[in-house]
Amino acid sequence: MAALKLLSFLAFVALVALSSGPVHVNALVADRAQVARHAHAHEAVAKRKRDSSTPSSSGRCQPRPTSSLVPSSLPTSTPSLSPPTSTTPPPAPSTTSSTATSTGSNKKFGLAWNADPAYLGNFANLPNVQYIYNWGYTKPSGLDQYPGLNYMPMLWGPNFVSGWLGTVVQGYAKYALGFNEPNEPSQSNMSPQSAANLWIQYMNPLKPLGYTLGSPACTDDDAGLAWYQQFFSACAGGCIVDFMAFHAYTTDPQHLIDYATQLHNNYSMPVMITEFADTDFSYATYPDMSQVWNYAGTVTAFIANTEWMQGACPFGESPLLLYPISTHKISGEVSDLQETGWTRQDSDLLVSEMVKHLPAVTCTLLTTNRPASVGHLYRFITRTNPSLPETRRSFTEAVDRAAMMREAALKSVIFVGVPRTILSLTGLKDALEDDVYAALRKHSNREASTENIEATIQRGMGLWKSIYEPHAVKLYNKLGALHPDFITFIIQAYGTILSPLPRGDLEQGNLTRALGSVVGIATLRAEGRVGPQLTSHVFGLLKARYEENLNEEDKFLASDEGTEWVIRKVDEVIDAVTAGEQEILAGAKL
């Protein structure tokens, strides 16, 4: 029942935020057993998706300040839960007979939507989804196609009042959300008194128009509890609030449950978690996959079975959360997803995501010695039904993807050696249709001659310096001291194999300088126990940003965020294909 188990996880992951966002590079270059696979969703995704041009996007939850790689102003531990310091409870918020109530229904989940509207259909019709919001007051494009989704406009902060007044009118929506993390200086940053004044002026009037009102959403810590208390005291019973909202970023599911319970007990109202994920910002602990599954099961059961839980909206870039299915499908562990309602639209979305990191996935499968999975990867990304050649999407597309996979596998030989490269190239060749194989290049572009040897060595030295400066000379001499021919071999291999082909994109399957570094990262990350070499190639990819004429893909890959994203994706593939094993293959020296 692997497919059913996997899709049950998808239904949760698409609704309970297990981040696809990256973690910091300097945390990821260590051994895999010590690093995060599911951290920092809040900051990375918010930073990438924020756009100051419209209220609906600029109002999204914004990242707390960080340096380029290291957090500077984040909590140092998972927040503790303490009662408010005052022993006198604040005045009860004003309510009416239509105050929100909750039931044991499973239709409690929502979409904290920050993704391409084209992907909305993959989640809108899930049986446990009924809410959607986007940190603003303008509905996502295409939302009208999904009448079962209740849009919740948010008055993110005081700067968005003017647009709010002209948009959020009678009949526009059934729910409205209050201020975004007003207790945080980097978010809406509002005093409780100011928030109370704005609430009475702009939120209360929505109640007679038929709206159900969610409170300001604070963070899951003592500061949040104190802010709520001061807010309701400032309201003096004059703020109409129907349910409590809060944000939770913690790897401890019990902390989330305790915080929600405390809010319910303090204010005798239903509770909605409008942002949450299995991560925290202390960077002290990182969940492994068993912990992720435990978090998912615990939180889902609590939300579904607690009568006073109004709902919950996971934080994350939902389309990328489909990724676990694609990696399991590549490894052959899911043989038939059609039985579970898997659709052509789902498959097309996965293929589009897989192609974006095709070299990384290819090299990870090669390094973990899964030649059959390399072949299945080709079938998966070129056919609507991997088992039927006649369902191939496009001949030209198939040739291009086969050439890219073949080139990535060839470059892997530098890092993991000849035997596994032979096996995976054979697995790929066996999967190719005859016409695709016939269209692939048959002559060598890398054969050494007296005419090209000098240019090859120059390319190798150029790539070496590009990756290893300012330590290029020191490392060159160190490796040369190990064996006089060793560094000569490496430079020639860099010039012949790892560097882009001389004619660039005119060559079939050519990989750019940035993608060459992706090959190095993927193979070394999957190999394990080669931390110094992995670190070098991580920084090598970061330095690719200084290359001339970068395309948009390479600009992203060479960014801090892109480099972290590559490592995350490699980890996800490794987790999928090595499930149940004690350790992956190891032994390559470079």
Side-chain angles (χ1 to χ4, degrees), residues 203-510:
M203 296 296 287
N204 279 7
L206 295 177
K207 188 63 184 178
L209 301 182
Y211 282 81
T212 298
L213 305 180
S215 76
C218 291
T219 52
D220 57 329
D221 50 20
D222 290 338
L225 292 174
W227 194 97
Y228 286 124
Q229 183 190 39
Q230 295 166 30
F231 169 74
F232 285 117
S233 293
C235 288
C239 297
I240 301 175
V241 178
D242 294 319
F243 61 87
M244 297 298 297
F246 78 98
H247 295 171
Y249 292 93
T250 174
T251 57
D252 178 7
Q254 191 59 48
H255 170 82
L256 178 149
I257 293 170
D258 291 345
Y259 198 93
T261 302
Q262 185 161 353
L263 285 184
H264 172 67
N265 291 340
N266 285 354
Y267 301 106
S268 300
M269 282 190 282
V271 175
M272 178 180 287
I273 315 170
T274 49
E275 283 185 30
F276 71 111
D278 182 16
T279 183
D280 62 43
F281 299 124
S282 70
Y283 313 112
T285 59
Y286 301 115
D288 58 29
M289 287 308 297
S290 64
Q291 292 169 323
V292 170
W293 280 83
N294 176 68
Y295 179 98
T298 302
V299 172
T300 301
F302 166 71
I303 293 167
N305 298 322
T306 302
E307 185 176 5
W308 47 262
M309 278 302 301
Q310 178 80 16
C313 303
F315 186 89
E317 191 170 358
S318 299
L320 296 183
L321 297 177
L322 287 166
Y323 190 84
I325 287 186
S326 62
T327 54
H328 280 269
K329 193 170 180 67
I330 290 166
S331 67
E333 294 176 14
V334 178
S335 60
D336 188 2
L337 290 173
Q338 298 295 334
E339 296 177 3
T340 63
W342 192 244
T343 67
R344 168 71 180 275
Q345 184 181 17
D346 298 322
S347 177
D348 289 344
L349 173 61
L350 288 178
V351 168
S352 68
E353 290 301 325
M354 291 300 299
V355 171
K356 292 178 183 178
H357 35 269
L358 187 56
V361 177
T362 301
C363 295
T364 305
L365 294 174
L366 182 151
T367 306
T368 55
N369 203 22
R370 299 305 197 280
S373 293
V374 173
H376 194 72
L377 170 61
Y378 167 79
R379 299 184 189 98
F380 179 77
I381 62 172
T382 59
R383 304 173 185 175
T384 58
N385 185 332
S387 63
L388 299 177
E390 60 269 23
T391 65
R392 187 172 67 194
R393 291 177 171 87
S394 162
F395 168 72
T396 302
E397 181 183 88
V399 173
D400 289 343
R401 292 174 182 176
M404 180 181 291
M405 291 178 67
R406 194 169 71 158
E407 185 70 13
L410 176 66
K411 292 181 185 297
S412 297
V413 73
I414 295 175
F415 303 100
V416 298
V418 172
R420 278 177 274 180
T421 303
I422 292 175
L423 293 174
S424 287
L425 282 173
T426 301
L428 174 60
K429 181 179 180 295
D430 290 345
L432 300 179
E433 301 89 351
D434 291 343
D435 57 345
V436 170
Y437 180 71
L440 293 177
R441 174 169 59 86
K442 299 299 188 296
H443 64 279
S444 173
N445 283 345
R446 294 179 166 96
E447 188 171 352
S449 67
T450 55
E451 290 78 17
N452 65 24
I453 188 63
E454 188 62 33
T456 298
I457 294 174
Q458 289 179 1
R459 282 200 309 276
M461 284 301 302
L463 182 58
W464 178 268
K465 292 178 180 178
S466 173
I467 294 173
Y468 298 115
E469 289 288 13
H471 308 295
V473 173
K474 180 180 179 180
L475 183 59
Y476 183 98
N477 292 335
K478 181 178 180 179
L479 297 184
L482 300 176
H483 191 294
D485 296 334
F486 187 33
I487 189 62
T488 300
F489 162 76
I490 293 173
I491 295 301
Q492 291 179 0
Y494 273 36
T496 306
I497 302 297
L498 191 58
S499 62
L501 288 163
R503 296 200 308 153
D505 289 341
L506 296 176
E507 298 284 2
Q508 189 183 66
N510 180 62

Side-chain angles (χ1 to χ4, degrees), residues 28 39 129 174 188-189 194 214 237 244 325 348 380 435 479 516 520 582:
L28 285 168
V129 176
K174 297 178 181 178
S188 62
N189 191 27
S194 174
M244 297 298 297
I325 287 186
D348 289 344
F380 179 77
D435 57 345
L479 297 184
Q582 295 299 311

